[in-house]
Amino acid sequence: MLTIFKEHRNFGKQIMLLAVNDLKKTYKGAAIGPLWAVIKPAFTLFVYWFAFEIGIKGGGDTNFLGVDYTRFIFMLAGFVPWFFITDSITLGAKSIRMNKQFVTKVSFPVSTIMTFTAVARLFVHLFLCAIMYVILLCSGFMPSLYNLQFFLYCPLMFIFFVALTWSTAPMSAFSKDFENMIVSVMAGVFWLSGIIYNSYDLGTSKFMDALEFVMLFNPINFFANGYRKTFLEGQWFFENPIELCIFLGEFVLVIALGIWNYNRLRKKLPDVL
């Protein structure tokens, strides 16, 4: 951990500049530029709303913690963190390979590559959060103290998935197959996470009760439901102590594995790339 801290020391300004440059590269050549950061998730959200409300007609409101919400509002609060999570995982895994010039040609702290890649995604996430909040205000949701939990969930989400890339990015640099596997798996992870359904209420049978407990081990659920507790149904993060303890255990595990994998592989990266 001290190695990673030392690599980040005095590199704050460079990380921010590289994050901005990463966004510019992403939308380079596009006539409307960064607006694609909003258009793409907005279209995705519209497609799922249309499929479930108009096409399948599975319809009606979605109940979350005893309160009914329109499907659009429920999905909105889940999709906003999901867009950050999926980009952080897939692009984070590719980050070293996509920026290999920093590893092979210059003396550059490798761990900061994963950081500025995540910071670039964080800029987009904050913009989407602002849009979501305006939509919720216009839909009749009033500001509350629970909204302050955003300043807990958002940094935790950022740190968690940056720490995850300490493992995935070096391993993807060693094996393109590992990188492709992550991209493929993410499609299934979406359906195994409570982005478009309530993972706290899967049914009344014993099997479903057991499945609901298993779902607590999915950290994506923790953040999707955390955003809903923050912006929709006011509930403090500590009101579900079992879920919180499970997440904290996973948080420590991801950081420990990330440190171990990064220190194990970082000196071999220049030769591999």
Side-chain angles (χ1 to χ4, degrees):
M1 196 67 187
L2 287 175
T3 300
I4 294 174
F5 278 139
K6 288 178 181 177
E7 289 186 345
H8 281 72
R9 187 176 59 189
N10 301 323
F11 269 84
K13 183 177 180 181
Q14 290 91 330
I15 288 172
M16 297 300 289
L17 290 174
L18 287 168
V20 172
N21 186 60
D22 190 63
L23 279 178
K24 289 180 179 178
K25 286 194 301 182
T26 301
Y27 302 107
K28 184 178 179 180
I32 58 176
L35 281 178
W36 282 111
V38 178
I39 293 174
K40 182 180 177 180
F43 181 73
T44 301
L45 190 61
F46 168 77
V47 168
Y48 280 100
W49 170 83
F50 185 86
F52 284 97
E53 287 291 330
I54 308 300
I56 299 177
K57 299 185 185 299
D61 296 338
T62 301
N63 186 278
F64 182 71
L65 299 178
V67 180
D68 290 332
Y69 299 96
T70 63
R71 190 173 294 275
F72 172 77
I73 292 297
F74 180 81
M75 289 195 302
L76 175 66
F79 264 104
V80 167
W82 167 254
F83 290 132
F84 173 81
I85 291 169
T86 185
D87 283 347
S88 294
I89 293 175
T90 55
L91 297 179
K94 301 176 183 178
S95 59
I96 291 180
R97 188 182 293 275
M98 292 174 63
N99 295 278
K100 62 181 180 180
Q101 69 275 12
F102 292 123
V103 182
T104 59
K105 295 182 180 180
V106 296
S107 178
F108 192 83
V110 178
S111 63
T112 60
I113 295 175
M114 291 82 90
T115 303
F116 77 69
T117 301
V119 170
R121 309 282 76 78
L122 183 63
F123 290 153
V124 176
H125 177 66
L126 294 176
F127 186 58
L128 289 176
C129 284
I131 294 176
M132 175 186 68
Y133 199 58
V134 171
I135 292 174
L136 292 176
L137 290 175
C138 294
S139 300
F141 291 85
M142 301 303 295
S144 73
L145 286 176
Y146 295 105
N147 298 160
L148 295 176
Q149 292 184 114
F150 171 77
F151 299 102
L152 170 68
Y153 283 111
C154 185
L156 267 182
M157 183 169 64
F158 176 81
I159 296 171
F160 184 91
F161 289 103
V162 169
L164 183 63
T165 60
W166 294 343
S167 290
T168 59
M171 292 172 71
S172 295
F174 275 77
S175 173
K176 191 71 180 292
D177 291 330
F178 185 78
E179 177 185 311
N180 292 333
M181 182 192 72
I182 291 176
V183 174
S184 300
V185 165
M186 287 307 295
V189 169
F190 172 82
W191 295 103
L192 295 174
S193 305
I195 307 301
I196 60 175
Y197 57 85
N198 182 8
S199 63
Y200 292 148
D201 185 17
L202 299 178
T204 56
S205 67
K206 291 183 178 180
F207 174 76
M208 288 302 180
D209 289 341
L211 186 58
E212 287 173 15
F213 178 74
V214 172
M215 294 286 281
L216 295 179
F217 287 86
N218 184 345
I220 297 176
N221 278 339
F222 177 81
F223 292 113
N225 290 327
Y227 271 58
R228 289 178 180 129
K229 294 173 185 177
T230 298
F231 296 108
L232 301 184
E233 173 60 23
Q235 187 181 88
W236 295 110
F237 67 94
F238 50 78
E239 291 187 47
N240 191 336
I242 296 177
E243 181 181 39
L244 180 61
C245 289
I246 290 173
F247 170 76
L248 291 177
E250 292 176 331
F251 187 72
V252 173
L253 180 62
V254 165
I255 290 178
L257 287 176
I259 292 170
W260 179 72
N261 271 311
Y262 177 72
N263 285 328
R264 180 172 64 95
L265 300 174
R266 69 186 180 91
K267 293 182 179 179
K268 302 176 183 178
L269 287 172
D271 295 332
V272 172
L273 294 173

